[in-house]
Amino acid sequence: MTTTPLVVLENVNKHFGDLHVLRDIDLSVTAGEVVVVIGPSGSGKSTLCRTINRLETIDTGRILLDGQPLPAEGRGLAKLRSDVGMVFQSFNLFAHKTVLQNVTLGPMKVLGQPKAKATERGMELLDRVRIGNQAHKYPAQLSGGQQQRVAIARALAMNPKVLLFDEPTSALDPEMVQEVLDVMTDLAKEGMTMVVVTHEMGFARRAANRVVFMADGQIVEENTPDEFFTKPQSERARDFLSKILTH
Amino acid sequence: MEAFLSNIDKVVDGFSWTVRLTLFSALFSFILGIVLTAMRVSPIPLLRALSTGYVEGIRNTPLTLVLLFCGLGLNSALGLSLADSVAWDVFWWAVIGLSAYTACFVSESLRAGINTIPLGQVEAARSLGLTFTQNLSLIVIPQALRTVVGPLGSVLIALIKNTTVASVAGLGVQEASRQMKLMFDQGIAPVLPTFVGFAIGFLILTLPTGYFFGWLSKRVAVVR
């Protein structure tokens, strides 16, 4: 079976001042794959996720999307970002726009879709994330879980090639985590290519094709969820898992 | 008081110029203020430097000097004319001076508003593929404006009062304070009632402005 990698990171390095946050990262994600990135705080996993749509620049190395290197800036970069959906920890919905407007803004302003078409598709997506009945509310009127589902719909509206999730459930009250994970699990089943930074080990086991374990800016271990959670190869991973699975 | 009221047509004429100065200057300073703010937050260092230099330079210069430069410098000395009639010529020069000056304060208010917008929203807009200009015009400026409606009201009130400088600084716009002075000079009105009359005239303009902007800022506030 030959598969073309959709996202490729080659020998990527990044520093924040003296701090070496990404060390020689090599990673490739094939179309339809769900890669879950886990690791202790400060291991560089969020930074890794953010480099893929260039919200963070890199010092050395290359990142390819669909075989093309990321453009540095300008319209090329904007076009690239429209192909890469991003879901943030803090939702980041546009506070002055309704739920529906949040979802239709990108398709109308970036893809140039007519309003009727964007609205129809937007409602379809909001129904899909089970929030269609709140379409005309403002973000501040919704719970965190609802806001995050809107953020997922907003990203999906651009028909992205890949969706990045940067700790999508970390800012949620515990009872709202599941509704967001359910939506993400559905997406994974439907074949969406996803890179997910998360602390939700249940989701990693259930939905991931591959788990990437990071520590100190390096990818320490990559494996299938079954193998990783049952037989972690590295000391760092064993240590990490023992801490999070025992409490 | 009767002497004052018998000259009411002069008073009304004066305030009509005050209102016209205010409206045009408000419009132009608002537009220029937005442009200056956009330059100030742009990724291009030269634009940022130009905006910062302009705002810091003009904001820290007395309005009297700015208007004198427009009136004595550009209009009289260099002979640049903006209209055929003298009244409108000096009027437009006063509008230019007031707009150039007030735009700095509009820009500083807006910049404060921009600082209240969570960076995450800008990143979210970027990650949708919006360009810098779209990000600014669709996400950043609309929200920044809503948060600074109150301060912008204060800038407008200051502008209404600043129109009186236009006549002092060599630009003979027949606005309210100049009409008042002319009435004194011609000895056709008693001093105290005239002062009070004109002060009330300004209050009629400024007080509702303040209340309106207070109401508006609550009305359009972005709930987070």
Side-chain angles (χ1 to χ4, degrees), chain A residues 50 78 81 92 96 109 158, chain B residues 120 123 126-128 134 138:
Chain A
R50 289 163 57 87
R81 283 175 171 153
N92 295 343
H96 65 310
K109 300 295 179 182
M158 300 298 290
Chain B
E123 289 189 338
R126 260 187 229 157
S127 71
L128 284 179
Q134 286 177 320
L138 297 169

Side-chain angles (χ1 to χ4, degrees), chain A residues 7-8 15 24 28 31 33 37 59 66 69 85 92-93 95 99 101 119 126-127 132 139 172 182 200 222 230-231:
Chain A
V7 180
V8 177
H15 295 78
D24 303 322
S28 85
E33 199 179 13
V37 183
D59 298 339
D66 231 357
N92 295 343
L93 295 180
V99 163
Q101 287 168 340
T119 304
L126 288 173
D127 285 336
L172 295 176
D182 285 347
E200 297 296 332
E222 280 183 75
T230 52
K231 284 176 280 180

Side-chain angles (χ1 to χ4, degrees), chain A residues 104-117:
Chain A
T104 58
L105 182 84
M108 284 165 62
K109 300 295 179 182
V110 178
L111 305 178
Q113 285 180 10
K115 188 176 182 187
K117 188 183 169 201

Side-chain angles (χ1 to χ4, degrees), chain A residues 86-87 91 93 146-156:
Chain A
M86 178 114 188
V87 176
F91 332 131
L93 295 180
Q146 290 172 325
Q147 288 191 51
Q148 194 60 300
R149 284 184 281 145
V150 174
I152 294 173
R154 176 174 69 178
L156 287 173

Side-chain angles (χ1 to χ4, degrees), chain A residues 50 53 55 75 78 81-82 84 86 88 92-97 105-106 109-110 140 154 158, chain B residues 118-131 134 138-139 142-143 146 222-224:
Chain A
R50 289 163 57 87
N53 68 354
L55 283 179
R75 295 204 168 263
R81 283 175 171 153
S82 70
V84 181
M86 178 114 188
F88 299 85
N92 295 343
L93 295 180
F94 307 129
H96 65 310
K97 296 201 173 284
L105 182 84
K109 300 295 179 182
V110 178
R154 176 174 69 178
M158 300 298 290
Chain B
L119 180 63
Q121 284 193 39
V122 178
E123 289 189 338
R126 260 187 229 157
S127 71
L128 284 179
L130 295 181
T131 61
Q134 286 177 320
L138 297 169
I139 307 300
Q143 290 191 70
R146 286 159 192 249
V222 179
V223 185
R224 293 191 202 284

